[in-house]
Amino acid sequence: MALTRDDVVDAAVDLLAEVGLEGLSLRRLARELGVSAPTLYWHVADKRTLLDHVAERLLADQWRSAPPIGPGEDWAAWLRERALAQYRALVTHRDAALVVAGNRPTDDALPAVEATMATLVGAGLAPREAFLTLMSVGHFVIGSAVEYHAERARAAETAAVPHGGHDPAAHPTLAAVAAAMGPPDGARHEDVVRHGLDLMIDGLRARLDPAP
């Protein structure tokens, strides 16, 4: 059976989960597929191109869960759900945020990108502002996902180290924050992401609908 680009991308996603971005190479991928490295160049020009396709595969659920809105629907709710879907995809897969950072859409992704941009332009943004908005939200989400994985790695490394905690009497405000936030976990981190998105989207809404 002839090797297809989908086969290559599927294998790359599996290998990423196994060895991480640092261990993902075209040579290693070719070995996993049982082909020679030059064979892969029929399907991807280089590793960066491969990662562009992997990024799209990792975020496929994002596009399905938050399609462009129809007339009269709330663009702010759509933008928030789209960003949260991207965040959840990035924290689900190993090194996904590092793969998506710096990626560029392939030709196959351009119709979805066009529809997404058109949604924001239809909501009242100029094309340049729509692009800057998507980039700003995307950068925030990617950075949040990187922070999530860094926190998990830190927790794993420090789990065996006893920590006496902070003195509530000396730091009462920090103690109140700790009591309100609860233990660090994925839900708490998503609360931070939701809060940040609300700030960004509320600011954008204010620019679109300025108070009289």
Side-chain angles (χ1 to χ4, degrees), residues 15-16 19-25 28 47 94-95 98-99:
L15 189 57
L16 178 70
V19 302
L21 181 58
E22 209 171 300
L24 176 59
S25 67
R28 174 73 181 270
K47 182 177 178 179
R94 179 179 180 181
D95 286 349
L98 301 179
V99 172

Side-chain angles (χ1 to χ4, degrees), residues 127-141:
R128 181 178 183 273
E129 190 171 26
F131 172 76
L132 292 176
T133 296
L134 284 180
M135 293 295 288
S136 298
V137 171
H139 290 174
F140 169 71
V141 168

Side-chain angles (χ1 to χ4, degrees), residues 183-199:
D185 56 20
R188 189 180 84 173
H189 203 279
E190 184 165 315
D191 285 344
V192 174
V193 176
R194 286 178 176 275
H195 183 73
L197 289 173
D198 285 345
L199 292 176

Side-chain angles (χ1 to χ4, degrees), residues 21 26 49 57 61 65-66 68-70 78 83 86 133-134 149 153 162-163 168 172 180 182 184 190 199:
L21 181 58
L26 291 179
T49 302
R57 184 65 53 83
D61 288 342
S65 66
I69 62 176
W78 164 83
Q86 180 179 6
T133 296
L134 284 180
H149 285 294
H163 192 284
E190 184 165 315
L199 292 176

Side-chain angles (χ1 to χ4, degrees), residues 43-63:
H43 305 284
V44 290
D46 47 40
K47 182 177 178 179
R48 183 62 259 182
T49 302
L50 171 66
L51 293 180
D52 287 343
H53 287 287
V54 170
E56 288 176 11
R57 184 65 53 83
L58 293 174
L59 295 179
D61 288 342
Q62 168 202 343
W63 300 106

Side-chain angles (χ1 to χ4, degrees), residues 53-178:
H53 287 287
V54 170
E56 288 176 11
R57 184 65 53 83
L58 293 174
L59 295 179
D61 288 342
Q62 168 202 343
W63 300 106
R64 285 193 289 266
S65 66
I69 62 176
E73 294 184 47
D74 183 17
W75 64 265
W78 164 83
L79 182 58
R80 183 182 295 103
E81 181 54 38
R82 181 187 182 279
L84 285 172
Q86 180 179 6
Y87 169 76
R88 290 166 185 154
L90 295 181
V91 299
T92 299
H93 301 281
R94 179 179 180 181
D95 286 349
L98 301 179
V99 172
V100 172
N103 86 295
R104 297 293 181 269
T106 68
D107 290 344
D108 291 341
L110 290 180
V113 176
E114 167 68 22
T116 300
M117 290 287 294
T119 297
L120 289 178
V121 171
L125 275 69
R128 181 178 183 273
E129 190 171 26
F131 172 76
L132 292 176
T133 296
L134 284 180
M135 293 295 288
S136 298
V137 171
H139 290 174
F140 169 71
V141 168
I142 291 170
S144 296
V146 170
E147 180 66 22
Y148 170 85
H149 285 294
E151 284 187 11
R152 288 192 64 188
R154 178 185 177 87
E157 292 168 4
T158 61
V161 179
H163 192 284
H166 301 288
D167 179 4
H171 309 101
T173 306
L174 292 178
V177 170

